[in-house]
Amino acid sequence: MSPTSTGYHMQTGNKFGSLDAVGNTNWTGVTGLAYTDGQSPHLGGDAVVLNRTLIEPLHRVQSANFNFTINRQDINEFGKLARLDSIVMESPTVGLDFNYYLTDGGNERKMGFNIPTNGSGSAATIGANASRPTATTYAWTGDGCISGFSALSGLIEDTQGNNYFIVTSKEGKDVQGDTVVSNSTDFDVISIGNGFISDYNIDASVGAIPTASVTVEAFNIRADNYISGQVGTEGSGNRIPGVDDINGQQVAHNYNFRGGTISTTGDYIAGDTVADNTITALRPGDILLEFIDPQENTTPSFNTDGFAILSGNGAAHIQSFNVTVPMSRTILGRLGNTFGYARVIDLPMNIDISVSAIVSELRTNNLFERLGSTEKHDFRLTLRRSAGTGKPGADALIIDVKGARLEGESYSNAIGDNETVDVTFSTQIGGSNDQNNGIFMRGSYARWTTLPYWVLGDQKSQKGGFADAVLVPS
C-alpha cells in the first residue's frame, strides 16, 4: 500500500550524505533519470539521486478479496418501454477485505493507526534516536506517532485514504523473490484508490494464531498487466488509482515498485532481532489478557456488573477475545464532482468487545441493584514474542481498550460440556486527545526507510498529500 492516495508514490531528488538521512530528500515524484532503487549516478560522489518506491508491503496476509459495483440510474420517458440510457450518477462502490496474522503493529501503522513503536531496526538512521526514548515522549519524529493517544486519531481525521495494491506473478512462481524489470509483463497489478478502513477486527482465541481482519471502502479500482521497476518520465508508467478530492479527477501520477527482487516478508532473517518484521507469527500461548480497574490500575479488584468473574480468585478460563471497530463513513459530494470529495467517518463510533470463557465460579450479585452503576472497565491484550517452548518473550504488540461498559452475559449449559459464558462490552471513541476512552496501541515494529513519508490524518493534505505538493520530512 502507499502512504497517501493522491500524492507521489516515489521518493526522488538530489541529496547529500546518507540515503536515509532526514531533511534532505524531497517528495518530487520523478527525476526523469532511469536509475534503479537507491542507485547513485555519481559513483564515489556526494550527490545521490534517490529512486525509491514509497509503496510498502503488508506482512502475513492470509486472504484478500475485492469487488466493485457501478451505481447507475435508468433514464426513461413516456412512449418507450425500454430505458433510453443508464447513467452514472455517483462514484462506484469499490470494496476490499483482507486478513493477516497480528505481529508487531507495522501493518496497522501503514494503514494509518497511531501506534508508537519501540523498535529501531533497518531504519535506525531515521531521526535523532535509534528507538523511542520513553513511553511518555509524545511527539517523536522517528515513527510519526503520539504516545498515549487513541490509535484511531489519525484515521478519524483522514480525508484522503490510501491506495492498496495486489500483485500476482505467473502461475507456480512466488512473488516473494521474483525480479522486477522495466515494463515486465510477468505481473498483474490490481490497484485500489482512495481506500478508507470501514471495519477493523481483532480476534485472539485458544488454538488459533491471533488475526486482524480489515474491510476497506474505496473510490476507484484499476488493473495493469505489467509492472515497472524503473523510474522513467512522468506519464510513461502505471498510473496510481487515486482520485483527486478537489476536482474529482484521477490523479495523473505514476507508481513504481522497488526494482530488483520483490520482498513480501520484510527483511525477515531467522533468529535476527533487528531486521524488519522478525516475527513470523504470534502464538496464543504467548498472549496475556488483563482486566484492569481504571480507578486503581490493578487487576484483582476488576468487577463487572454481571455474574462472571473475569480476574482474581475463581476467574473464568478465557477462550477467546474479540474487538470490533466499525468505522462507517458517509460520502460527501458536491455539484460538479461525479466522485465524492471525501469519506468522513460517522460519529459517535462504538467499539464492541466480546469475551468467551469457561465458567469457574459465579459472583454473588443482583442485576436490579446494578442498573444504576457507572463503572467503566479497561482491557489490555499483550501479544508477546516467543522466547522458547512455554516461555513468552518481549512484548510485540499491546492493545488497550478503555472506558468499556458491560452490555450483557450469555450462559450455555449442555450435557457432557462445560458451562460457558459470552460477555459483551462496548465503549466509544473519544477525541484525539481523549486518553480514557477508546482503543490504544503500542507496537515493536522496525522503522522502515520511508517511514517519514507516512504521515497520519490531515497531515496527508498539509505535507504532500496532494498531487502537486512537496514533502520534506522533519
Side-chain angles (χ1 to χ4, degrees), residues 290-295 298-299 301-306 308 310-311 321 353 363 365 370 373-380 400-407 409 423-428 436-438 440:
E290 300 173 273
F291 302 89
I292 301 172
D293 189 319
Q295 279 73 42
T298 58
T299 55
S301 63
F302 183 92
N303 179 31
T304 71
D305 297 325
L310 297 180
S311 70
F321 181 78
I353 307 101
R363 174 183 292 108
N365 209 347
R370 302 292 297 178
S373 171
T374 59
E375 288 187 4
K376 295 183 178 181
H377 310 290
D378 294 352
F379 304 87
R380 173 168 294 170
D400 288 319
V401 179
K402 297 183 178 182
R405 302 288 294 271
L406 178 67
E407 295 288 332
E409 296 178 355
V423 188
T424 57
F425 299 84
S426 70
T427 185
Q428 286 194 337
N436 299 311
N437 297 283
F440 302 78

Side-chain angles (χ1 to χ4, degrees), residues 90-144:
E90 58 187 31
S91 59
T93 302
V94 180
L96 167 69
D97 61 86
F98 57 94
N99 65 67
Y100 56 89
Y101 292 149
L102 287 169
T103 54
D104 54 15
N107 283 354
E108 284 75 12
R109 175 62 182 86
K110 292 170 186 174
M111 291 187 293
F113 286 75
N114 176 48
I115 174 169
T117 181
N118 284 319
S120 55
S122 58
T125 53
I126 296 179
N129 302 290
S131 61
R132 199 175 192 88
T134 66
T136 58
T137 303
Y138 292 104
W140 180 62
T141 58
D143 58 20

Side-chain angles (χ1 to χ4, degrees), residues 224-241:
D224 294 293
N225 62 356
Y226 69 93
I227 184 173
S228 176
Q230 290 186 323
V231 178
T233 57
E234 183 72 6
S236 64
N238 293 350
R239 295 286 188 176
I240 68 174

Side-chain angles (χ1 to χ4, degrees), residues 318-342:
I318 307 299
Q319 301 299 296
S320 67
F321 181 78
N322 180 275
V323 179
T324 301
V325 187
M327 292 178 272
S328 61
R329 293 178 178 268
T330 299
I331 300 177
L332 299 182
R334 57 191 172 199
L335 293 177
N337 282 29
T338 301
F339 286 82
Y341 65 89

Side-chain angles (χ1 to χ4, degrees), residues 283 286 385-389 391-394:
R283 306 181 306 182
D286 294 328
R385 300 169 184 260
S386 176
T389 304
K391 297 180 180 180

